[in-house]
Amino acid sequence: MKVLVFDNYEAASEHAAQLVEAQILENNQSVLGLATGSTPIGLYKNLIEGVKARGISYKNVSTINLDEYIGLPREHSESYHTFMAENLFNHIDISIDNTYIPDGMSPSPEEECVRYEENMDRVGPIDLQILGIGSNGHIAFNEPGTDPDSLTHVVELVASTREDNARFFPSIDDVPTHAITTGIKSILRSKKIILIASGKGKAEAVKQLLSKEISQDFPASYLWNHNDVTLIVDQDAYALVQTEGQ
Ligand code: GLP
């Protein structure tokens, strides 16, 4: 795992964008794995700027998102469909037919998982996967205890994840209880992975990740089983690692 530490969120986001754009310049038909949450918003802002400022085109790019809440209609303000439209897709020249996000309103979420995994096989492999990290070490919605051999599956969100995400909803009772998420195995099939962590709230998680202990209790630790992972952190998220090392 390559660890890159930046002064702040802006610098970290800018660097992540440079890596994504380098991937697209290398292969304009790249398949990107995309994440939601607060963390990648800065990256997406930079990618939007890159369309005009650097002439980057997403015309032939495909994207596969990590997860979606179950029970939120696509047009709900907090669905990951809406998040991706507002924070990226509406502002770049991507064809919406080339973007994939699980359908959280499927009458059979289990069948949707199978369909989504088939999509990944057909469209993929993912050339470059973007990840954030939950404060409990989750990646996508793979909560602690997730099987490392997991493919796309239905997950019940743990209390801490619902609390973390309650800031986006009127109250915690409005946060969905379940989600569809790509699995650990689905994520590790990506050719390259970038994990971004920013802010003090992620400092414990980054410290745990960099302890290199691989454990089912901390899903992000499975990234140590992949040979091309770049961790992009800002000083706040790296703070506990530095303190311990001095
Ligand atoms: C969310 C998403 C993850 C994301 C994580 C951290 O619930 N399912 O993909 O990485 O939690 O979110 P944030 O970046 O807002 O801290």
Side-chain angles (χ1 to χ4, degrees), residues 34-40 66-67 69 80 131-135 138-142 157 161 164-165 167-168 181 195-196 198 202:
L34 298 182
T36 52
S38 313
T39 309
L66 287 169
D67 45 18
Y69 291 116
Y80 288 166
L131 291 178
I133 185 169
S135 55
H138 75 223
I139 47 174
F141 270 134
N142 292 289
L157 303 178
T161 296
D164 283 352
N165 289 357
R167 67 189 192 281
F168 300 114
T181 182
L195 172 63
I196 312 170
S198 164
K202 299 295 167 68

Side-chain angles (χ1 to χ4, degrees), residues 5-246:
V5 186
F6 293 86
D7 282 350
N8 51 45
Y9 176 66
E10 288 68 30
S13 301
E14 212 171 291
H15 189 79
Q18 282 166 13
L19 296 181
V20 173
E21 290 184 356
Q23 171 65 43
I24 295 168
L25 290 173
E26 188 188 311
N27 172 12
N28 70 359
Q29 299 186 19
S30 290
V31 181
L32 303 178
L34 298 182
T36 52
S38 313
T39 309
I41 290 178
L43 157 66
Y44 297 153
K45 278 195 176 131
N46 277 279
L47 294 183
I48 292 166
E49 274 169 32
V51 173
K52 275 200 184 130
R54 295 178 287 281
I56 305 292
S57 173
Y58 293 82
K59 228 168 149 186
N60 300 310
V61 167
S62 300
T63 64
I64 300 178
N65 262 78
L66 287 169
D67 45 18
E68 177 59 289
Y69 291 116
I70 290 179
L72 292 192
R74 276 167 195 235
E75 52 286 353
H76 187 283
S77 61
E78 297 308 328
S79 79
Y80 288 166
H81 278 80
T82 298
F83 176 97
M84 290 311 304
E86 289 182 349
N87 289 292
L88 187 64
F89 297 155
N90 287 352
H91 312 285
I92 59 175
D93 62 340
I94 198 161
S95 159
I96 219 65
D97 293 343
N98 293 339
T99 67
Y100 299 86
I101 304 177
D103 178 5
M105 292 301 281
S106 166
S108 169
E110 280 74 17
E111 276 175 30
E112 171 61 8
C113 293
V114 174
R115 190 192 70 89
Y116 201 67
E117 199 62 40
E118 284 168 1
N119 271 344
M120 290 181 87
D121 283 344
R122 188 171 46 81
V123 178
I126 289 172
D127 294 297
L128 179 59
Q129 173 70 57
I130 305 298
L131 291 178
I133 185 169
S135 55
N136 64 356
H138 75 223
I139 47 174
F141 270 134
N142 292 289
E143 300 283 23
T146 304
D147 184 342
D149 284 328
S150 53
L151 298 174
T152 303
H153 60 286
V154 172
V155 65
E156 180 170 5
L157 303 178
V158 301
S160 66
T161 296
R162 294 186 66 235
E163 281 156 21
D164 283 352
N165 289 357
R167 67 189 192 281
F168 300 114
F169 292 85
S171 84
I172 184 131
D173 296 334
D174 299 302
V175 183
T177 55
H178 290 76
I180 292 175
T181 182
T182 54
I184 303 282
K185 196 173 182 177
S186 334
I187 292 170
L188 293 183
R189 279 191 310 229
S190 313
K191 292 186 195 164
K192 283 180 256 177
I193 298 176
I194 294 174
L195 172 63
I196 312 170
S198 164
K200 291 196 170 70
K202 299 295 167 68
E204 277 294 345
V206 168
K207 180 179 152 193
Q208 176 67 33
L209 176 64
L210 293 182
S211 75
K212 299 189 187 174
E213 187 198 327
I214 299 176
S215 148
Q216 202 153 347
D217 296 334
F218 194 79
S221 65
Y222 289 121
L223 295 172
W224 287 105
N225 291 336
H226 192 282
N227 63 8
D228 195 341
V229 178
T230 303
L231 171 65
I232 295 183
V233 280
D234 61 13
Q235 289 288 356
D236 283 347
Y238 197 65
L240 294 175
V241 181
Q242 284 171 316
T243 318
E244 299 270 306
Q246 281 164 2

